[in-house]
């Protein structure tokens, strides 16, 4: 644990940011999985789920939680077929 006040604050803020990043990444993964399973099962709300998943992927890519190329690949797989 750091002794300097600013370093203590930095540890707290970086831990909070890390938790938010993990939560957003998990949310993105869940949205993608929901869209893929709906696509496989020919569900009625596929378009809504795919657009929601694409939105989550774009936001994650914008915050550098996933690489831009990976985001493009995920979106391509969501949109195909």
């Amino acid at each position: 644990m750091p002794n300097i006040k600013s370093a203590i604050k930095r540890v707290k803020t970086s831990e909070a940011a890390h938790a938010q990043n993990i939560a957003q990444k998990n949310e993105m993964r869940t949205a993608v999985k929901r869209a893929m399973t709906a696509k496989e099962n020919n569900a009625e709300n596929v378009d809504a789920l795919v657009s929601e998943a694409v939105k989550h992927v774009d936001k994650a890519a914008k915050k550098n939680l996933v690489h831009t190329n990976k985001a493009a690949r995920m979106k391509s797989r969501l949109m195909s077929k």
Side-chain angles (χ1 to χ4, degrees), residues 35-70:
M36 290 301 241
T37 54
K39 207 174 193 185
E40 289 170 3
N41 299 332
N42 295 325
E44 297 172 4
N45 57 348
V46 174
D47 294 331
L49 289 173
V50 166
S51 67
E52 186 72 20
V54 167
K55 185 172 88 169
H56 283 291
V57 170
D58 281 337
K59 283 187 176 183
K62 188 174 184 183
K63 290 190 173 187
N64 291 324
L65 299 179
V66 291
H67 195 275
T68 314
N69 293 353
K70 181 173 181 172

Side-chain angles (χ1 to χ4, degrees), residues 2-19:
N3 294 325
I4 298 168
K5 191 175 183 180
S6 61
I8 293 170
K9 183 177 179 182
R10 191 71 201 142
V11 167
K12 283 173 72 175
T13 56
S14 65
E15 285 175 355
H18 179 69

